[in-house]
Amino acid sequence: MSLSQNAPKSKGIKREELKKQYEDVEDEEEIGSDDDLTRGKRRKTEKEKQKLEESELVEMKKLENLIFGSLYSPVTFGKEEEEDGSALFHVDRSAVRQIPDYEDDGDDDEELSDEENGQVVAIRKGEAAWEDEEEKQINVDIASVNRLRKLRKEENEGLISGSEYIARLRAHHAKLNPGTDWARPDSQLVDGESSDDDDTQDGGVDDILRTNEDLVVKSRGNKLCAGRLEYSKLVDANAADPSNGPINSVHFHQNAQLLLTAGLDRRLRFFQIDGKRNTKIQSIFLEDCPIRKAAFLPNGSQVIVSGRRKFFYSFDLEKAKFDKIGPLVGREEKSLEYFEVSQDSNTIAFVGNEGYILLVSTKTKELIGTLKMNGSVRSLAFSEDGKHLLSSGGDGQVYVWDLRTMKCLYKGVDEGSTCGTSLCSSLNGALFASGTDRGIVNIYKKSEFVGGKRKPIKTVDNLTSKIDFMKFNHDAQILAIVSTMNKNSVKLVHVPSLTVFSNWPPPNSTMHYPRCLDFSPGSGFMAMGNAAGKVLLYKLHHYQNA
């Protein structure tokens, strides 16, 4: 009984043990398979990371080579892309290696070799390493733009190439901003050295003769271009003390800084002209003489003041003293309002009655002689040396007088004139202009007129009313014509071309009724008095000196 009962228990135990062993083996197999999968995935991930790092490293090296150049080996362009048949880069053989500061300059014409391709490229010190070819193809019209007219070398010059335009801009900039010697790196002068040894230094003469650009720019400064006048409006000359009546006279002193103004308010004013403040220096009131004309003597020592009176005044600038002169001995003129002063400051010529011209000495203020015309006298003008006097008047003729012999050298009809109203002569004596009561101005060469040729070289008929005043500037390139009858009746003539400036009077501006005009000794300033009591001041850009 006992044997039969124990037998099933042992069998059950064995079965359970076998089953456990079998399950353990299966578990070990499952664990082993999981480890293999995990290891495979890790290996695969590591390989991918390694490949990614390698590719990133390659890309970084390529990027470094592109940005900084090859650090470890010479750069070879286009090898990787040769298979595709196209190269991303090519070598620019026109580039020239820069010369370091520490290398010996040697000769300026020394040839430098290209280390990469063996080509020999000759360069000069200071040459540009690159030029824009389009500059030679572009043309710039410097005549159509006002601010570019200053770049012209000739009057009729218009289109220039782009490279020439840049060169002229550089030259103009260098002219306006010359800089200082100590700031120039190529300056050869050293403190304590004499400039007399410049000729012995290498390249001293060559530097002067290397270019003629500066010489051309300086030479063109004396020649005024026709067409349009370059100018700018400044603060009124008498802004510090405007006049209460019409301005009859404006005149610059020979030092170009002092300007006198005078008018019917009986005040003689002096201003220091700088174009910005124009400070008033002095104002003098003449109680018994409304001023018709006032002018400096050319030597700058005195001021002659006249009005519709039998007398005139002389103001000594050094002594600040007025002297009243007149009436003139032996004369019955009731008015000495119109006069002219000779360029040598020795003689004053007054317009008298019945065709008489009264000559007065500036030293003694006494009458030294008279001249007689056939008709009435309206205008006078001295020659440049003070030895001759021009006069015109009611008979329509121009007289040329010799003041040494007190005789008329020549008398000729002013073409188209029935009554001469204004005369002026250029400072060099070559030209004179005659204005009429019909608004016509004839310009003559004095030598031809005295020689018998009565044909004017130019007739200006831009004004339609009586010509009251005319004035040449110092170099006779500008002739100003004024008529007091109409507003803005002022014309400026370009004498070399005998044409009128198209932009004068200024558009959209009111000059009122002009009365008088004067140029500064260097023509840098132009002052114009009007009937409103103002003295308009303009800067003429062509002239560098006042």
Side-chain angles (χ1 to χ4, degrees):
M1 291 295 290
S2 60
L3 291 174
S4 60
Q5 289 178 353
N6 295 331
K9 289 182 180 180
S10 62
K11 288 182 182 179
I13 293 171
K14 289 181 180 179
R15 287 179 182 176
E16 291 177 359
E17 292 179 353
L18 291 174
K19 186 176 180 179
K20 289 180 180 181
Q21 292 177 1
Y22 180 76
E23 290 177 353
D24 293 338
V25 171
E26 287 182 350
D27 292 339
E28 290 178 358
E29 289 178 356
E30 289 177 1
I31 292 172
S33 60
D34 292 340
D35 292 341
D36 294 339
L37 290 175
T38 302
R39 292 175 182 175
K41 290 180 180 180
R42 289 178 180 175
R43 291 175 182 175
K44 187 175 181 180
T45 304
E46 291 177 355
K47 290 181 180 180
E48 289 177 354
K49 288 183 179 181
Q50 187 176 2
K51 289 181 180 180
L52 182 60
E53 291 176 355
E54 292 177 354
S55 62
E56 289 178 352
L57 183 60
V58 173
E59 293 296 332
M60 289 294 293
K61 287 184 178 180
K62 288 183 179 181
L63 184 59
E64 289 177 355
N65 291 335
L66 290 176
I67 297 176
F68 305 107
S70 179
L71 300 176
Y72 310 103
S73 61
V75 179
T76 56
F77 297 99
K79 283 189 175 182
E80 296 179 359
E81 290 77 16
E82 287 179 356
E83 297 178 357
D84 298 335
S86 63
L88 291 178
F89 307 95
H90 66 279
V91 179
D92 186 2
R93 303 300 182 186
S94 64
V96 180
R97 181 173 66 90
Q98 297 291 333
I99 303 177
D101 295 336
Y102 57 81
E103 290 186 8
D104 186 13
D105 292 340
D107 195 5
D108 286 346
D109 297 333
E110 180 183 0
E111 295 183 350
L112 301 177
S113 60
D114 193 331
E115 296 178 356
E116 294 181 2
N117 51 28
Q119 293 184 356
V120 177
V121 181
I123 65 171
R124 289 180 180 272
K125 183 179 180 181
E127 282 190 354
W130 175 81
E131 293 182 359
D132 189 357
E133 297 180 355
E134 293 183 358
E135 291 179 359
K136 301 178 180 179
Q137 301 175 0
I138 297 175
N139 293 327
V140 180
D141 189 358
I142 60 176
S144 60
V145 183
N146 292 341
R147 65 175 181 270
L148 299 183
R149 289 174 175 267
K150 62 177 72 72
L151 301 178
R152 294 187 296 177
K153 297 179 180 179
E154 299 179 359
E155 293 184 22
N156 57 354
E157 189 172 21
L159 292 175
I160 60 174
S161 63
S163 57
E164 178 68 15
Y165 172 68
I166 292 177
R168 295 191 186 184
L169 282 178
R170 292 181 181 276
H172 185 69
H173 176 76
K175 178 184 176 183
L176 297 179
N177 304 280
T180 54
D181 293 336
W182 60 266
R184 296 175 184 172
D186 56 348
S187 179
Q188 296 179 352
L189 289 179
V190 183
D191 294 341
E193 291 184 358
S194 173
S195 60
D196 297 335
D197 298 332
D198 286 348
D199 293 338
T200 61
Q201 296 179 359
D202 294 339
V205 179
D206 294 338
D207 291 340
I208 299 176
L209 303 179
R210 182 171 298 170
T211 176
N212 65 344
E213 188 66 29
D214 290 339
L215 300 178
V216 172
V217 170
K218 291 179 181 179
S219 64
R220 64 173 282 275
N222 296 328
K223 191 173 183 181
L224 180 65
C225 295
R228 297 178 63 86
L229 181 66
E230 296 181 5
Y231 66 92
S232 60
K233 177 72 169 62
L234 304 178
V235 178
D236 289 349
N238 66 340
D241 187 12
S243 175
N244 296 326
I247 300 293
N248 288 330
S249 288
V250 292
H251 196 200
F252 280 95
H253 191 268
Q254 63 177 358
N255 65 8
Q257 296 180 355
L258 187 63
L259 174 73
L260 71 80
T261 67
L264 296 181
D265 64 348
R266 306 184 183 188
R267 288 191 177 273
L268 179 67
R269 298 176 174 87
F270 297 92
F271 297 90
Q272 183 178 358
I273 301 300
D274 57 6
K276 298 178 181 179
R277 299 182 60 183
N278 303 328
T279 307
K280 185 182 78 170
I281 297 177
Q282 190 175 7
S283 177
I284 303 172
F285 180 73
L286 300 179
E287 185 176 358
D288 59 348
C289 184
I291 301 173
R292 292 282 177 172
K293 184 168 183 177
F296 289 107
L297 293 185
N299 60 16
S301 61
Q302 302 177 31
V303 178
I304 306 300
V305 182
S306 67
R308 196 164 289 178
R309 299 289 187 270
K310 296 180 180 181
F311 53 86
F312 65 95
Y313 284 96
S314 174
F315 179 66
D316 193 317
L317 293 178
E318 295 181 359
K319 299 178 181 180
K321 179 183 178 182
F322 263 104
D323 291 328
K324 185 177 180 180
I325 298 102
L328 297 177
V329 178
R331 302 303 306 176
E332 298 180 355
E333 278 78 10
K334 295 182 180 180
S335 175
L336 298 175
E337 55 186 297
Y338 298 116
F339 68 89
E340 291 293 333
V341 182
S342 63
Q343 294 298 320
D344 57 6
S345 301
N346 292 330
T347 308
I348 307 172
F350 288 94
V351 173
N353 297 336
E354 300 176 354
Y356 278 95
I357 302 172
L358 313 178
L359 303 178
V360 177
S361 171
T362 58
K363 295 181 180 179
T364 63
K365 306 299 187 298
E366 295 180 355
L367 186 66
I368 58 176
T370 59
L371 304 172
K372 178 67 170 68
M373 287 175 52
N374 294 334
S376 61
V377 186
R378 295 291 186 87
S379 58
L380 302 170
F382 278 95
S383 63
E384 76 285 358
D385 54 4
K387 297 178 180 179
H388 297 92
L389 177 68
L390 303 177
S391 65
S392 67
D395 59 356
Q397 296 186 357
V398 177
Y399 294 74
V400 181
W401 303 90
D402 188 343
L403 299 182
R404 293 168 295 183
T405 61
M406 294 292 182
K407 293 183 179 180
C408 180
L409 291 179
Y410 183 78
K411 180 178 65 174
V413 177
D414 186 12
E415 186 176 276
S417 172
T418 57
C419 180
T421 58
S422 181
L423 276 176
C424 72
S425 177
S426 62
L427 292 180
N428 57 13
L431 303 172
F432 75 90
S434 174
T436 69
D437 57 351
R438 297 183 179 181
I440 296 175
V441 176
N442 292 325
I443 303 175
Y444 295 92
K445 288 185 177 180
K446 183 180 176 182
S447 59
E448 294 181 355
F449 185 82
V450 175
K453 184 179 179 180
R454 302 179 181 178
K455 188 73 174 177
I457 60 175
K458 177 65 177 180
T459 298
V460 182
D461 54 1
N462 295 77
L463 298 179
T464 58
S465 55
K466 183 184 69 151
I467 304 300
D468 296 288
F469 182 85
M470 294 188 299
K471 179 79 174 183
F472 282 100
N473 74 324
H474 81 285
D475 59 0
Q477 294 196 80
I478 302 177
L479 171 63
I481 305 173
V482 176
S483 175
T484 62
M485 302 297 294
N486 299 317
K487 289 185 177 181
N488 301 334
S489 296
V490 182
K491 290 294 181 181
L492 297 182
V493 180
H494 181 254
V495 178
S497 65
L498 298 174
T499 58
V500 176
F501 287 105
S502 60
N503 62 334
W504 191 272
N508 302 325
S509 65
T510 302
M511 293 182 173
H512 208 267
Y513 293 90
R515 303 280 295 179
C516 51
L517 185 147
D518 192 32
F519 296 96
S520 61
S523 299
F525 293 119
M526 181 178 68
M528 184 183 65
N530 60 24
K534 295 182 178 180
V535 179
L536 309 180
L537 186 64
Y538 298 89
K539 174 71 174 71
L540 305 184
H541 298 307
H542 174 77
Y543 298 99
Q544 301 299 323
N545 299 324

